[in-house]
């Protein structure tokens, strides 16, 4: 237990937040993005876009807050920072009121698709192995919960609960290879 | 593990930890977004089918209205349906009292259900609730007596109930129950039974869809009689005898009370029209079932003669028996709109107020209308129901509107939670959620999305199946060389054109179509693979079959209207007339011989009359893949 205690305060004091390979990004300019999607793909995106459109007159508009969800639903997994970036770093209060249409959405989605850095199954398992103190293929559920709620792009308690639902065994341990398969399977 | 780490590797592992956290968080958010997309799809499917059904019914009734206006009085089709338009509250109350008299109905010694003493007491009603919990049925005599008392009481109530929130008690507000007795029991369990210390508001839609609509009504009316100042019932759009013909309540009553069902339904029809339209708490919180519109005027609503509006599907044109001299005044239409808006409207995110074309009645109203109506009437909050919400509730319009929905698992097991509101004198709403379930374990989000999704897809496959001939001819337009193949794009746009459900077919494609090659699919095989059984009868004419499937609900509605004595049986002649009615509404050609043959073949008892339930059962679709 002692080494863990020593490490944690130092982790909090770690110099930079976690994107060393990304340079300070300039303001996102949609005009600079060339669209490389096929017409078929664009039709598919339109259908999904429409699903998130809650205007009863079907104006094909979604709120800024929904943009990230839509991009993720279409198969990408950007960080929240990356999403705020393509949205032009809007103010928090604008997220539920400002809207964008399909043509504004496409370059944002294209940019995220190009910056492909989503991490493979192996990356994921490697990431979790960090928490495998005993090297036996399991991580402590409690530790994982703590990390997810306090580091990186923090998750809320209810989000963590949902993620971990039925994943911990009687000892509060999680087999992380199975866990990763489960997360990547939906 | 006790060693000292050099600073470098400590930093490295700290970065690893954070990287790992980020990676998991990213994937989790993607996982949730994909689940959300599936959930929305599923929700859309259920809602579209539900609303298409509602629209369908309104179209049918508008057609009847058209018939009434445009045919000569001697037309036989008109006669079949004219009785539903006849204004029948011409009788004096004393005549109705005689008709509904329960005194001649004897409770025999063989009756093992609950007994109800009058005047009702808290004890009596609580015992009744216990009996319902144990699936007992109340004797028709007690039902009629209870309903009679309720009718008499409701007639003394104003259109708008005014409630004062008192510092000694919080008021509880419940939304749609739709015959889900288990949810009402769960609410009582969590929150306590109604009493003078525990006032309740029930915001409409007590009946239809679930199988215990009558038990819910009897329970609510029982408590109403015991605590008339502390139990408040608002009318919902389903407290409407014509809507009940389609959505199951009529069938439930007739099934449970074969001898007295008709009387019970008649009395309920009158009770529904006497239910108050709104409740206001402390002159600050407005509670109505549907919502508001830009013309909503509480003073006008307080003054209408509410019992005139027996059904949403009978506009005030029908003022007298003779249609030739019917006059509609501006006031009538204005009043009619006030009532319809309050029972049928839905909120929308944009400003403005537009007609609610999806439901066919009421409006879509925006946040600006909320602000204006609340301001004009000096109110601070609007509580409404009418729409199913996944969490049982939803805030909108800058938290000035709350939707509260109390029927959990509405579409399917695990589809949604139910909720109710508790509110003290500070008028701050507290939401309590729950989910009735026969299995004790709570489903994970993934599991409940999966269950509901399976159910929705099944319902969708049925819709596709009943439209298969139309679909195939539409597909063939894009397949001139008859190769049996069509592009995915054409498949999606054509399917939407035929079914008109506003669904994201491309998103649904992987769930509905087993394989595509180079963006093309084999539509003939796809239709075959929908795997829905054929009916049990031998009918050569496919077009009649398809018409029957597509119009299952319309047929049921028409049958029940024609079956004026609620016997459940109609004669061959009446059956023929039903088809005539339907055929003229749908503007479709079905030969008289075909109908005659059909009538013969479904006369299961060979006694010259057709049992409605048997007939409808024979044409109920069964998805054989569900048995796999």
């Amino acid at each position: 237990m002692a080494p863990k205690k020593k490490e944690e305060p130092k982790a909090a004091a770690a110099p930079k937040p976690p994107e060393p390979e990304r340079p300070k990004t300039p303001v996102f300019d949609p005009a600079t993005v060339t669209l490389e999607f096929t017409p078929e793909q664009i039709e598919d995106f339109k259908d999904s876009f429409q699903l998130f459109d809650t205007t009863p007159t079907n104006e094909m508009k979604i709120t800024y807050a929904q943009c990230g969800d839509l991009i993720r639903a279409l198969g990408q997994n950007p960080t929240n920072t990356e999403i705020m970036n393509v949205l032009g770093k809007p103010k928090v209060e604008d997220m539920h009121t400002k809207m964008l249409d399909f043509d504004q959405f496409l370059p944002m989605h294209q940019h995220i698709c190009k910056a492909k850095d989503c991490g493979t199954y192996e990356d994921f398992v490697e990431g979790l192995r960090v928490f495998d103190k005993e090297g036996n293929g399991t991580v402590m559920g409690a530790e994982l919960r703590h990390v997810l709620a306090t580091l990186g792009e923090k998750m809320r308690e209810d989000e963590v609960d949902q993620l971990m639902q039925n994943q911990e065994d009687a000892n509060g341990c999680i087999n992380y290879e199975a866990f990763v398969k489960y997360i990547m399977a939906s | 593990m006790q060693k000292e780490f050099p600073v470098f590797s400590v930093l490295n592992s700290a970065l690893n930890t954070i990287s790992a956290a980020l990676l998991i968080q990213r994937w989790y958010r993607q996982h949730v977004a994909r689940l959300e997309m599936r959930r929305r799809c599923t929700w859309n499917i259920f809602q579209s089918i539900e609303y298409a059904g509602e629209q369908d019914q309104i179209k049918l009734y508008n057609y009847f209205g058209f018939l009434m206006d445009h045919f000569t009085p001697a037309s036989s089709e008109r006669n079949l349906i004219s009785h539903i338009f006849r204004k029948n509250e011409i009788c004096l109350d004393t005549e109705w009292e005689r008709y509904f008299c329960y005194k001649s109905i004897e409770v025999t010694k063989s009756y093992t259900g609950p007994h109800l003493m009058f005047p009702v007491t808290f004890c009596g009603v609580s015992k009744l609730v216990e009996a319902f919990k144990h699936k007992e049925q109340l004797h028709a005599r007690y039902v009629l007596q209870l309903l009679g008392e309720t009718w008499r009481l409701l007639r003394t109530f104003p259109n708008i109930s005014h409630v004062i929130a008192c510092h000694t008690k919080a008021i509880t507000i419940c939304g749609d129950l739709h015959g889900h007795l288990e949810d009402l029991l769960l609410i009582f369990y969590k929150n306590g039974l109604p009493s003078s210390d525990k006032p309740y508001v029930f915001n409409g839609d007590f009946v239809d869809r679930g199988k215990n609509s009558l038990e819910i009504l009897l329970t609510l009316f029982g408590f109403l009689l015991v605590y008339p100042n502390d139990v408040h019932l608002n009318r919902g759009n389903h407290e409407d005898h014509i809507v009940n013909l389609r959505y199951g309540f009529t069938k439930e009553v007739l099934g449970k009370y074969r001898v007295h069902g008709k009387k019970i339904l008649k009395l309920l029809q009158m009770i529904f029209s006497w239910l108050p339209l709104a409740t206001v708490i402390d002159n600050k919180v407005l509670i109505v079932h549907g919502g508001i519109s830009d013309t909503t005027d509480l003073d006008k609503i307080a003054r209408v003669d509410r019992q005139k509006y027996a059904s949403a599907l009978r506009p005030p044109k029908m003022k007298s028996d003779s249609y030739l001299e019917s006059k509609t005044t501006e006031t009538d239409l204005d009043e009619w709109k006030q009532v319809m808006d309050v029972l049928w409207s839905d909120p929308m995110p944009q400003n403005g107020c537009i007609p609610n074309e999806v439901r066919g009645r009421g409006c879509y109203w925006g946040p600006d209308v909320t602000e204006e109506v609340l301001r004009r009437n000096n109110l601070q909050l609007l509580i409404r129901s009418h729409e199913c919400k996944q969490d049982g509730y939803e805030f909108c319009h800058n938290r000035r509107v709350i939707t509260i929905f109390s029927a959990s698992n509405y579409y399917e097991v695990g589809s949604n939670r139910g909720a109710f509101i508790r509110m003290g004198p500070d008028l701050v709403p507290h939401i309590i959620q729950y989910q009735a379930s026969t299995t004790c374990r709570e489903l994970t989000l993934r599991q409940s999305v999966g269950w509901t999704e399976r159910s929705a897809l099944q319902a969708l496959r049925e819709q596709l199946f009943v439209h298969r001939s139309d679909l195939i001819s539409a597909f063939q337009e894009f397949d001139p060389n008859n190769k049996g193949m069509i592009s995915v794009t054409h498949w999606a746009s054509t399917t939407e054109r035929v079914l008109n459900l506003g669904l994201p077919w491309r998103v649904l494609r992987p769930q509905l179509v087993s394989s595509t090659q180079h963006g093309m699919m084999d539509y003939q095989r796809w239709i075959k693979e929908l795997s829905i059984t054929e009916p049990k009868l031998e009918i050569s004419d496919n077009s009649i079959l398809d018409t029957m499937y597509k119009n299952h609900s319309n047929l049921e509605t028409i049958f029940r209207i024609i079956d004026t004595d609620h016997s459940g049986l109609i004669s061959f002649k009446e059956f023929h007339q039903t088809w005539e009615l339907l055929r003229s509404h749908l503007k479709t050609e079905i030969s008289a011989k075909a109908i005659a043959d059909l009538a013969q073949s479904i006369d299961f008892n060979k006694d010259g009359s057709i049992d409605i339930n048997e007939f409808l059962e024979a044409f109920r679709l069964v998805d054989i893949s569900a048995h796999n």
Side-chain angles (χ1 to χ4, degrees):
Chain A
M1 286 295 132
K4 180 179 161 218
K5 278 199 181 114
K6 270 194 211 142
E7 276 165 28
E8 284 208 56
K10 294 219 173 75
K16 261 281 171 256
E19 289 137 306
E21 59 272 42
R22 268 170 276 256
K24 194 101 174 119
T25 39
V27 176
F28 172 72
D29 182 5
T32 61
V33 177
T34 24
L35 294 178
E36 289 165 19
F37 298 125
T38 66
E40 286 282 319
Q41 283 177 306
I42 293 185
E43 286 304 311
D44 282 339
F45 298 157
K46 253 196 203 144
D47 245 23
S48 304
F49 189 92
Q50 210 146 27
L51 252 184
F52 282 74
D53 171 10
T54 50
T55 61
T57 44
N58 280 330
E59 292 162 42
M60 282 295 267
K61 285 201 173 115
I62 61 174
T63 64
Y64 270 43
Q66 292 172 299
C67 190
D69 291 334
L70 178 54
I71 293 180
R72 287 169 170 138
L74 289 172
Q76 302 304 312
N77 62 344
T79 59
N80 287 343
T81 312
E82 286 167 318
I83 291 178
M84 293 303 262
N85 190 40
V86 295
L87 284 171
K89 301 204 179 97
K91 299 200 269 284
V92 173
E93 52 268 27
D94 286 342
M95 290 299 279
H96 288 279
T97 45
K98 273 183 99 167
M99 307 200 69
L100 62 143
D101 63 27
F102 187 67
D103 291 324
Q104 292 167 301
F105 170 76
L106 272 181
M108 296 180 183
H109 186 49
Q110 180 73 85
H111 183 81
I112 301 277
C113 286
K114 279 197 184 140
K116 231 178 182 12
D117 173 32
C118 62
T120 59
Y121 172 80
E122 285 74 25
D123 289 332
F124 212 146
V125 172
E126 271 307 303
L128 278 166
R129 195 162 283 140
V130 167
F131 306 104
D132 182 2
K133 295 294 181 297
E134 288 161 42
N136 61 0
T138 66
V139 297
M140 286 294 296
E143 183 170 359
L144 194 54
R145 280 170 189 269
H146 180 78
V147 166
L148 293 174
T150 53
L151 298 183
E153 290 184 338
K154 303 173 195 165
M155 283 163 62
R156 297 189 316 258
E157 200 179 310
D158 60 294
E159 289 179 315
V160 175
D161 283 339
Q162 207 184 79
L163 172 65
M164 314 272 273
Q165 196 176 8
N166 295 346
Q167 295 299 310
E168 288 155 295
D169 65 19
N171 299 323
C173 294
I174 297 180
N175 173 314
Y176 53 85
E177 288 203 40
F179 182 62
V180 172
K181 286 203 177 96
Y182 166 74
I183 297 283
M184 295 180 93
S186 74
Chain B
M1 288 290 150
Q2 298 285 340
K3 291 189 216 143
E4 280 288 320
F5 288 87
V7 172
F8 178 73
S9 64
V10 160
L11 278 178
N12 217 12
S13 80
L15 284 174
N16 277 343
T17 310
I18 296 172
S19 284
L22 268 178
L23 196 52
I24 299 170
Q25 287 156 347
R26 280 159 60 180
W27 274 103
Y28 166 75
R29 292 187 167 115
Q30 192 211 60
H31 168 79
V32 165
R34 291 178 94 139
L35 270 184
E36 174 60 16
M37 173 109 113
R38 281 169 63 191
R39 193 199 63 74
R40 261 176 212 256
C41 246
T42 303
W43 205 255
N44 266 27
I45 294 175
F46 277 127
Q47 258 190 351
S48 311
I49 296 182
E50 174 177 13
Y51 294 162
E54 282 181 7
Q55 238 190 62
D56 212 23
Q57 181 174 35
I58 291 199
K59 278 194 200 138
L60 184 67
Y61 276 85
N62 288 344
Y63 174 67
F64 288 162
F66 169 81
L67 272 185
M68 298 311 299
D69 289 341
H70 290 90
F71 278 50
T72 58
S75 144
S76 64
E77 280 148 22
R78 201 166 169 277
N79 288 340
L80 277 181
I81 56 170
S82 61
H83 67 275
I84 62 170
F85 291 96
R86 216 174 293 135
K87 194 169 153 72
N88 43 24
E89 273 79 70
I90 333 163
C91 297
L92 294 170
D93 288 341
T94 45
E95 290 176 9
W96 284 123
E97 299 268 353
R98 249 201 311 274
Y99 175 68
F100 293 128
C101 191
Y102 59 90
K103 295 191 178 129
S104 54
I105 305 175
E106 197 201 330
V107 180
T108 62
K109 287 205 185 63
S110 59
Y111 172 69
T112 53
H115 293 271
L116 194 56
M117 300 300 127
F118 288 81
V120 286
T121 60
F122 177 75
C123 252
V125 184
S126 325
K127 289 213 182 100
L128 188 63
V129 174
E130 275 305 302
F132 289 153
K133 213 188 275 184
H134 295 112
K135 310 213 189 297
E136 292 172 35
Q137 186 170 304
L138 185 63
H139 197 281
R141 178 196 171 102
Y142 298 133
V143 172
L144 283 169
Q145 196 172 359
L146 182 64
L147 293 180
E149 293 295 316
T150 307
W151 178 48
R152 255 170 249 118
L153 179 62
L154 286 175
R155 283 183 294 172
T156 67
F157 286 178
N159 296 344
I160 303 180
S161 311
H162 283 273
V163 186
I164 311 291
C166 175
H167 65 276
T168 53
K169 48 198 187 184
I171 188 162
T172 308
I173 301 149
C174 300
D176 294 30
L177 287 165
H178 280 301
H180 285 216
L181 184 63
E182 60 276 16
D183 285 307
L184 183 60
L185 294 176
L186 194 45
I187 295 172
F188 286 162
Y189 176 72
K190 285 174 98 77
N191 196 54
L193 292 172
S195 69
S196 44
D197 291 323
K198 197 150 286 219
Y200 272 81
V201 178
F202 292 95
N203 201 13
D205 276 13
F206 319 119
V207 303
D208 278 332
R209 299 188 196 280
K211 45 188 185 49
N212 293 108
S213 300
L214 192 54
E215 285 73 24
I216 289 194
L217 283 182
L218 296 171
T219 305
L220 296 182
F221 292 158
F223 282 116
L224 176 71
L225 288 171
V226 182
Y227 300 109
N229 298 317
D230 300 295
V231 173
H232 307 276
L233 305 179
N234 283 348
R235 189 175 180 188
N237 62 307
H238 277 261
E239 274 70 57
D240 178 328
H241 67 286
I242 298 189
V243 173
N244 299 149
L245 285 170
R246 188 189 185 100
Y247 288 100
F249 181 49
T250 307
K251 187 171 168 180
E252 179 189 323
V253 174
L254 294 175
K256 288 177 176 168
Y257 294 93
R258 292 185 186 275
V259 178
H260 297 103
K262 187 186 169 195
K263 261 192 202 163
I264 293 175
L265 283 172
K266 188 72 208 167
L267 189 40
L268 279 168
Q269 181 183 326
M270 294 162 67
I271 287 177
F272 285 166
S273 71
W274 276 107
L275 283 169
L277 298 170
T279 299
V280 175
I281 304 180
D282 274 4
N283 288 315
K284 289 266 156 254
V285 179
L286 174 63
I287 310 175
V288 288
H289 175 74
I292 53 175
S293 75
D294 52 357
T295 56
T296 294
D297 183 335
L298 286 184
D299 292 329
K300 279 191 184 158
I301 291 176
R303 290 196 303 261
V304 305
D305 184 9
R306 72 182 189 268
Q307 57 81 28
K308 273 195 331 200
Y309 303 103
S311 168
L313 297 149
R314 282 162 57 173
K317 257 192 218 187
M318 322 299 164
K319 285 225 82 171
S320 63
D321 268 355
S322 167
Y323 300 94
L324 299 171
E325 47 159 283
S326 72
K327 287 182 294 186
T328 324
T329 64
E330 283 251 349
T331 330
D332 290 334
L333 284 176
D334 188 49
E335 272 189 10
W336 161 255
K337 187 177 188 297
Q338 292 286 337
V339 175
M340 288 304 111
D341 287 344
V342 147
L343 294 178
W344 288 79
S345 301
D346 293 310
M348 64 174 178
Q350 294 81 2
N351 284 335
C353 191
I354 55 178
N356 192 327
E357 314 250 286
V358 172
R359 302 241 197 208
R361 289 283 183 269
C363 298
Y364 278 120
W365 87 91
D368 56 338
V369 176
T370 297
E371 284 308 310
E372 178 53 29
V373 171
L374 290 182
R375 186 196 62 80
R376 211 169 43 207
N377 292 283
N378 243 305
L379 302 160
Q380 70 192 37
L381 179 64
L382 169 61
I383 299 178
R384 47 88 64 172
S385 304
H386 198 39
E387 286 179 297
C388 182
K389 297 291 176 193
Q390 196 190 11
D391 292 317
Y393 75 100
E394 190 175 88
F395 282 87
C396 68
H397 294 186
N398 300 319
R399 297 180 76 87
R400 300 275 259 164
V401 177
I402 310 177
T403 301
I404 190 80
F405 194 86
S406 302
S408 67
N409 307 321
Y410 180 63
Y411 289 127
E412 177 53 85
V413 171
S415 68
N416 64 289
R417 296 160 94 175
F420 58 91
I421 297 175
R422 255 207 288 263
M423 190 179 267
D426 57 0
L427 302 182
V428 172
H430 297 275
I431 316 264
I432 296 100
Q433 297 165 294
Y434 54 84
Q435 189 154 18
S437 82
T438 46
T439 62
C440 308
R441 208 168 54 89
E442 217 183 82
L443 299 169
T444 63
L445 182 63
R446 174 101 146 267
Q447 283 169 321
S448 80
V449 169
W451 263 89
T452 322
E453 191 179 48
R454 251 192 300 278
S455 201
L457 290 172
Q458 191 175 319
L460 193 54
R461 265 187 240 113
E462 281 178 19
Q463 288 293 310
L464 289 166
F465 181 76
V466 305
H467 287 90
R468 63 204 195 297
S469 348
D470 290 338
L471 280 170
I472 292 188
S473 11
F475 289 151
Q476 277 166 342
E477 288 173 36
F478 293 100
D479 179 27
N481 302 324
N482 234 334
K483 297 258 176 70
M485 302 288 280
I486 188 175
S487 75
V488 169
T489 308
H490 286 146
W491 169 82
S493 59
T494 309
T495 306
E496 176 53 30
R497 191 159 45 89
V498 173
L499 260 67
N500 201 23
L501 286 172
L503 289 175
W505 296 100
R506 298 189 70 105
V507 175
L508 290 167
R509 187 195 52 76
Q511 313 265 36
L512 292 173
V513 182
S514 51
S515 68
T516 60
Q517 284 169 326
H518 311 298
M520 303 288 285
M521 60 169 282
D522 181 339
Y523 59 88
Q524 297 277 10
R525 201 178 72 182
W526 176 61
I527 299 274
K528 282 206 191 69
E529 281 176 355
L530 285 174
S531 66
I532 310 281
T533 50
E534 300 283 352
K536 303 156 191 155
L537 303 172
E538 300 279 313
I539 297 179
S540 53
D541 191 337
N542 259 339
S543 69
I544 294 192
L545 220 54
D546 283 355
T547 307
M548 217 136 37
Y549 286 142
K550 257 188 268 189
N551 291 283
H552 199 264
S553 294
N554 281 341
L555 269 176
E556 176 163 6
T557 308
I558 298 176
F559 282 156
R560 295 205 186 281
I561 293 176
I562 287 181
D563 178 26
T564 49
D565 61 359
H566 294 299
S567 62
L569 298 170
I570 56 174
S571 67
F572 276 24
K573 177 159 177 249
E574 286 169 333
F575 181 74
H576 193 271
Q577 287 170 327
T578 305
W579 273 103
E580 280 305 303
L581 253 180
L582 191 60
R583 190 191 56 75
S584 57
H585 169 51
L586 299 174
K587 299 189 189 30
T588 186
E589 289 310 312
I590 300 175
S591 74
K593 180 176 185 319
I595 294 182
D597 287 345
L598 183 62
Q600 290 282 8
S601 63
I602 57 180
D603 176 10
F604 300 118
N605 305 328
K606 297 286 171 272
D607 62 355
S609 67
I610 293 164
D611 181 315
I612 295 174
N613 286 330
E614 274 189 1
F615 171 71
L616 292 172
E617 199 48 36
F619 289 98
R620 199 167 60 82
L621 294 174
V622 176
D623 184 351
I624 50 181
S625 70
H627 297 300
N628 291 350

